[in-house]
Amino acid sequence: MQHLAGNLFIISAPSGAGKSSLIQALLKRHSDMQVSVSHTTRAPRPGEQDGVHYHFISVEQFKALIAQDEFFEWAEVFGNYYGTAKSSIRDSLSQGIDVFLDIDWQGARQIKAQESSALGIFILPPSLTELEQRLNNRGQDASDVIAKRMAQAHSEMSHANEYEYLIINDNFDTALAELERIVLAQRNGYASQAARQQALLSQLLAKSAN
Ligand code: ADP
Protein backbone atom coordinates (compact mmCIF):
# COMPACT_ATOMS: atom_id res chain seq x y z
CA MET A 1 0.00 0.00 0.00
CA GLN A 2 1.19 3.52 -0.82
CA HIS A 3 2.13 5.43 2.35
CA LEU A 4 -0.87 7.38 3.61
CA ALA A 5 -0.83 10.57 5.70
CA GLY A 6 -1.45 8.78 9.00
CA ASN A 7 0.95 6.23 10.48
CA LEU A 8 0.12 2.69 11.52
CA PHE A 9 1.49 1.50 14.88
CA ILE A 10 1.44 -2.01 16.26
CA ILE A 11 1.45 -2.05 20.06
CA SER A 12 2.12 -5.29 21.90
CA ALA A 13 2.79 -6.22 25.51
CA PRO A 14 2.26 -9.08 27.92
CA SER A 15 -1.24 -8.81 29.38
CA GLY A 16 -1.22 -6.45 32.37
CA ALA A 17 1.81 -4.40 31.30
CA GLY A 18 -0.39 -1.32 30.84
CA LYS A 19 -0.87 -1.24 27.09
CA SER A 20 -4.58 -0.34 27.13
CA SER A 21 -4.11 2.33 29.81
CA LEU A 22 -1.28 3.96 27.88
CA ILE A 23 -3.15 3.97 24.58
CA GLN A 24 -6.30 5.36 26.18
CA ALA A 25 -4.33 8.13 27.92
CA LEU A 26 -2.67 9.08 24.62
CA LEU A 27 -6.00 9.14 22.75
CA LYS A 28 -7.41 11.52 25.37
CA ARG A 29 -4.70 14.01 24.44
CA HIS A 30 -4.96 13.67 20.65
CA SER A 31 -8.15 13.68 18.62
CA ASP A 32 -6.23 12.66 15.48
CA MET A 33 -5.24 9.25 16.84
CA GLN A 34 -7.39 6.11 16.99
CA VAL A 35 -7.20 2.56 18.17
CA SER A 36 -8.43 0.02 15.71
CA VAL A 37 -11.41 -1.89 17.13
CA SER A 38 -10.78 -5.61 16.67
CA HIS A 39 -13.32 -8.35 16.13
CA THR A 40 -13.43 -11.16 18.69
CA THR A 41 -15.46 -14.24 19.57
CA ARG A 42 -14.65 -13.97 23.29
CA ALA A 43 -17.35 -12.91 25.75
CA PRO A 44 -17.37 -9.23 26.78
CA ARG A 45 -15.80 -8.46 30.18
CA PRO A 46 -17.83 -6.35 32.59
CA GLY A 47 -18.03 -2.81 31.26
CA GLU A 48 -16.89 -3.66 27.74
CA GLN A 49 -19.09 -2.25 24.97
CA ASP A 50 -19.68 -3.71 21.53
CA GLY A 51 -18.12 -1.50 18.85
CA VAL A 52 -16.01 0.39 21.40
CA HIS A 53 -13.70 -2.18 22.98
CA TYR A 54 -14.31 -4.93 20.42
CA HIS A 55 -16.82 -5.95 17.80
CA PHE A 56 -18.20 -9.03 19.55
CA ILE A 57 -19.28 -11.65 17.02
CA SER A 58 -19.98 -15.39 16.89
CA VAL A 59 -17.53 -18.04 15.69
CA GLU A 60 -19.72 -18.55 12.59
CA GLN A 61 -19.63 -14.82 11.77
CA PHE A 62 -15.88 -14.73 12.35
CA LYS A 63 -15.27 -17.63 9.99
CA ALA A 64 -17.40 -15.96 7.32
CA LEU A 65 -15.24 -12.81 7.54
CA ILE A 66 -12.08 -14.93 7.18
CA ALA A 67 -13.56 -16.53 4.05
CA GLN A 68 -14.29 -13.04 2.62
CA ASP A 69 -10.64 -12.01 3.19
CA GLU A 70 -11.84 -9.15 5.40
CA PHE A 71 -9.01 -9.47 7.93
CA PHE A 72 -5.51 -8.02 7.84
CA GLU A 73 -4.64 -10.61 10.44
CA TRP A 74 -6.43 -12.94 12.77
CA ALA A 75 -5.43 -15.42 15.46
CA GLU A 76 -6.86 -17.88 17.91
CA VAL A 77 -5.75 -17.10 21.48
CA PHE A 78 -6.91 -19.08 24.54
CA GLY A 79 -9.61 -20.70 22.38
CA ASN A 80 -11.05 -17.38 21.13
CA TYR A 81 -10.64 -15.70 17.74
CA TYR A 82 -9.32 -12.15 17.35
CA GLY A 83 -8.88 -10.21 14.09
CA THR A 84 -8.25 -6.80 12.52
CA ALA A 85 -10.50 -5.73 9.64
CA LYS A 86 -8.85 -3.90 6.75
CA SER A 87 -11.24 -1.25 5.48
CA SER A 88 -11.64 1.05 8.49
CA ILE A 89 -7.87 1.31 9.05
CA ARG A 90 -7.21 2.49 5.51
CA ASP A 91 -9.97 5.12 5.73
CA SER A 92 -8.50 6.57 8.93
CA LEU A 93 -4.91 6.61 7.65
CA SER A 94 -5.90 8.41 4.47
CA GLN A 95 -7.51 11.13 6.61
CA GLY A 96 -4.19 11.67 8.39
CA ILE A 97 -5.26 9.86 11.54
CA ASP A 98 -2.64 7.69 13.29
CA VAL A 99 -3.98 4.21 14.00
CA PHE A 100 -2.89 1.85 16.78
CA LEU A 101 -3.26 -1.88 16.46
CA ASP A 102 -3.45 -3.50 19.88
CA ILE A 103 -2.33 -7.02 18.93
CA ASP A 104 0.09 -9.77 19.92
CA TRP A 105 3.36 -10.75 18.26
CA GLN A 106 1.70 -13.23 15.90
CA GLY A 107 -0.68 -10.57 14.61
CA ALA A 108 2.23 -8.13 14.40
CA ARG A 109 4.10 -10.49 12.09
CA GLN A 110 1.09 -10.85 9.81
CA ILE A 111 0.61 -7.07 9.62
CA LYS A 112 4.31 -6.43 8.95
CA ALA A 113 4.26 -8.94 6.11
CA GLN A 114 1.51 -6.90 4.41
CA GLU A 115 2.34 -3.37 5.60
CA SER A 116 6.07 -2.93 5.92
CA SER A 117 5.61 0.71 7.01
CA ALA A 118 3.74 -0.33 10.18
CA LEU A 119 5.89 0.52 13.22
CA GLY A 120 6.05 -1.83 16.19
CA ILE A 121 6.12 -0.60 19.79
CA PHE A 122 6.58 -3.16 22.57
CA ILE A 123 5.67 -2.37 26.19
CA LEU A 124 7.38 -4.21 29.04
CA PRO A 125 6.57 -4.19 32.76
CA PRO A 126 9.40 -3.23 35.16
CA SER A 127 9.36 -6.76 36.68
CA LEU A 128 7.39 -10.02 36.71
CA THR A 129 6.28 -9.36 40.29
CA GLU A 130 4.86 -5.99 39.25
CA LEU A 131 3.17 -7.56 36.22
CA GLU A 132 1.38 -10.11 38.41
CA GLN A 133 0.42 -7.39 40.88
CA ARG A 134 -1.13 -5.28 38.12
CA LEU A 135 -3.14 -8.25 36.87
CA ASN A 136 -4.38 -8.83 40.43
CA ASN A 137 -5.12 -5.14 41.03
CA ARG A 138 -7.01 -4.84 37.75
CA GLY A 139 -9.51 -7.24 39.27
CA GLN A 140 -10.78 -8.53 35.92
CA ASP A 141 -9.46 -12.10 35.91
CA ALA A 142 -9.85 -15.15 38.13
CA SER A 143 -6.62 -16.53 39.61
CA ASP A 144 -6.39 -19.41 37.09
CA VAL A 145 -6.63 -16.88 34.22
CA ILE A 146 -3.93 -14.74 35.84
CA ALA A 147 -1.68 -17.83 36.10
CA LYS A 148 -2.29 -18.48 32.39
CA ARG A 149 -1.48 -14.86 31.52
CA MET A 150 1.76 -15.01 33.54
CA ALA A 151 2.76 -18.22 31.73
CA GLN A 152 1.96 -16.55 28.39
CA ALA A 153 3.94 -13.40 29.32
CA HIS A 154 7.30 -15.07 28.80
CA SER A 155 6.52 -16.15 25.25
CA GLU A 156 5.07 -12.73 24.34
CA MET A 157 8.10 -10.88 25.78
CA SER A 158 10.54 -13.14 23.93
CA HIS A 159 9.36 -11.43 20.72
CA ALA A 160 10.08 -7.86 21.87
CA ASN A 161 13.17 -7.82 19.64
CA GLU A 162 10.94 -7.90 16.54
CA TYR A 163 9.67 -4.38 17.29
CA GLU A 164 11.22 -1.00 16.40
CA TYR A 165 10.58 0.61 19.79
CA LEU A 166 10.65 -0.54 23.40
CA ILE A 167 8.96 1.19 26.34
CA ILE A 168 9.31 0.13 29.97
CA ASN A 169 6.08 1.02 31.74
CA ASP A 170 7.41 1.63 35.25
CA ASN A 171 6.29 5.19 35.97
CA PHE A 172 3.09 5.68 33.97
CA ASP A 173 3.61 9.34 33.04
CA THR A 174 7.16 8.69 31.85
CA ALA A 175 6.00 5.76 29.70
CA LEU A 176 3.16 7.87 28.30
CA ALA A 177 5.56 10.69 27.39
CA GLU A 178 7.82 8.18 25.61
CA LEU A 179 4.91 6.73 23.64
CA GLU A 180 3.74 10.21 22.64
CA ARG A 181 7.25 11.18 21.50
CA ILE A 182 7.54 8.13 19.25
CA VAL A 183 4.16 8.68 17.61
CA LEU A 184 4.60 12.42 17.09
CA ALA A 185 8.16 12.06 15.75
CA GLN A 186 6.88 9.65 13.12
CA ARG A 187 4.69 12.38 11.64
CA ASN A 188 7.90 13.98 10.39
CA GLY A 189 9.03 10.79 8.69
CA TYR A 190 9.55 11.54 4.99
CA ALA A 191 6.88 9.14 3.73
CA SER A 192 4.28 10.59 6.06
CA GLN A 193 5.22 14.19 5.22
CA ALA A 194 5.22 13.44 1.49
CA ALA A 195 1.60 12.29 1.82
CA ARG A 196 0.59 15.31 3.94
CA GLN A 197 2.59 17.96 2.08
CA GLN A 198 2.18 16.83 -1.52
CA ALA A 199 1.08 20.25 -2.77
CA LEU A 200 3.87 22.15 -1.01
CA LEU A 201 6.54 19.72 -2.19
CA SER A 202 5.53 19.96 -5.83
CA GLN A 203 5.30 23.75 -5.60
CA LEU A 204 8.77 24.06 -4.05
CA LEU A 205 10.36 21.60 -6.44
CA ALA A 206 8.74 22.91 -9.63
CA LYS A 207 11.25 24.22 -12.17
CA SER A 208 11.46 27.98 -11.91
CA ALA A 209 10.18 30.00 -14.87
CA ASN A 210 13.47 31.85 -15.46
P1 ADP B 1 -2.91 -4.38 29.33
O1 ADP B 1 -3.80 -3.60 28.42
O2 ADP B 1 -1.48 -4.33 28.93
O3 ADP B 1 -3.39 -5.77 29.60
P2 ADP B 1 -3.90 -2.58 31.39
O4 ADP B 1 -3.79 -1.27 30.70
O5 ADP B 1 -5.25 -3.18 31.59
O6 ADP B 1 -2.91 -3.65 30.74
O7 ADP B 1 -3.17 -2.39 32.80
C1 ADP B 1 -3.15 -3.42 33.75
C2 ADP B 1 -3.33 -2.82 35.14
O8 ADP B 1 -2.13 -2.12 35.50
C3 ADP B 1 -4.46 -1.80 35.20
O9 ADP B 1 -5.13 -1.93 36.45
C4 ADP B 1 -3.73 -0.46 35.11
O10 ADP B 1 -4.44 0.58 35.74
C5 ADP B 1 -2.41 -0.76 35.81
N1 ADP B 1 -1.25 0.01 35.31
C6 ADP B 1 -0.95 0.33 34.03
N2 ADP B 1 0.21 1.00 33.95
C7 ADP B 1 0.68 1.13 35.23
C8 ADP B 1 1.84 1.74 35.82
N3 ADP B 1 2.79 2.36 35.11
N4 ADP B 1 1.97 1.66 37.18
C9 ADP B 1 1.04 1.03 37.91
N5 ADP B 1 -0.07 0.45 37.44
C10 ADP B 1 -0.26 0.48 36.11
Side-chain angles (χ1 to χ4, degrees):
M1 176 170 79
Q2 180 202 346
H3 200 102
L4 299 169
N7 291 301
L8 184 59
F9 295 92
I10 298 165
I11 309 204
S12 304
S15 181
K19 177 175 63 168
S20 313
S21 314
L22 285 168
I23 296 174
Q24 288 315 316
L26 188 63
L27 295 189
K28 259 195 197 153
R29 293 187 182 180
H30 298 275
S31 57
D32 49 4
M33 298 180 188
Q34 271 178 8
V35 66
S36 157
V37 179
S38 301
H39 287 69
T40 186
T41 61
R42 84 152 163 72
R45 292 180 192 148
E48 281 184 339
Q49 284 170 269
D50 187 38
V52 177
H53 300 91
Y54 281 101
H55 298 291
F56 294 100
I57 59 172
S58 68
V59 174
E60 291 69 32
Q61 289 171 313
F62 200 99
K63 287 185 172 165
L65 291 175
I66 296 173
Q68 292 158 25
D69 194 27
E70 275 296 311
F71 288 121
F72 249 139
E73 59 80 37
W74 62 271
E76 198 186 338
V77 185
F78 300 134
N80 296 308
Y81 289 94
Y82 296 85
T84 306
K86 292 177 185 174
S87 51
S88 63
I89 295 178
R90 293 201 168 138
D91 286 351
S92 297
L93 292 175
S94 60
Q95 291 168 44
I97 294 168
D98 294 320
V99 178
F100 301 111
L101 298 177
D102 176 346
I103 52 178
D104 69 6
W105 68 270
Q106 300 170 68
R109 274 195 187 172
Q110 292 183 54
I111 295 284
K112 283 261 186 180
Q114 297 168 74
E115 292 294 342
S116 54
S117 65
L119 281 163
I121 303 174
F122 202 94
I123 297 164
L124 286 174
S127 70
L128 289 176
T129 314
E130 175 67 18
L131 181 65
E132 192 163 11
Q133 201 160 2
R134 286 182 192 173
L135 285 170
N136 279 310
N137 292 346
R138 188 166 69 181
Q140 272 180 0
D141 302 315
S143 61
D144 60 322
V145 176
I146 291 184
K148 244 194 211 173
R149 293 199 190 285
M150 288 303 293
Q152 184 76 10
H154 183 268
S155 122
E156 185 70 26
M157 292 189 294
S158 72
H159 293 277
N161 61 353
E162 297 171 24
Y163 291 69
E164 277 78 16
Y165 295 99
L166 187 60
I167 294 176
I168 315 298
N169 181 20
D170 188 354
N171 175 277
F172 187 84
D173 291 338
T174 305
L176 177 59
E178 290 178 6
L179 178 61
E180 186 172 45
R181 227 154 55 201
I182 293 164
V183 174
L184 292 180
Q186 211 52 38
R187 292 190 175 177
N188 287 81
Y190 189 85
S192 180
Q193 282 286 58
R196 287 171 199 271
Q197 305 291 349
Q198 240 165 7
L200 176 64
L201 282 169
S202 37
Q203 190 193 339
L204 293 173
L205 298 176
K207 277 226 157 58
S208 86
N210 45 22

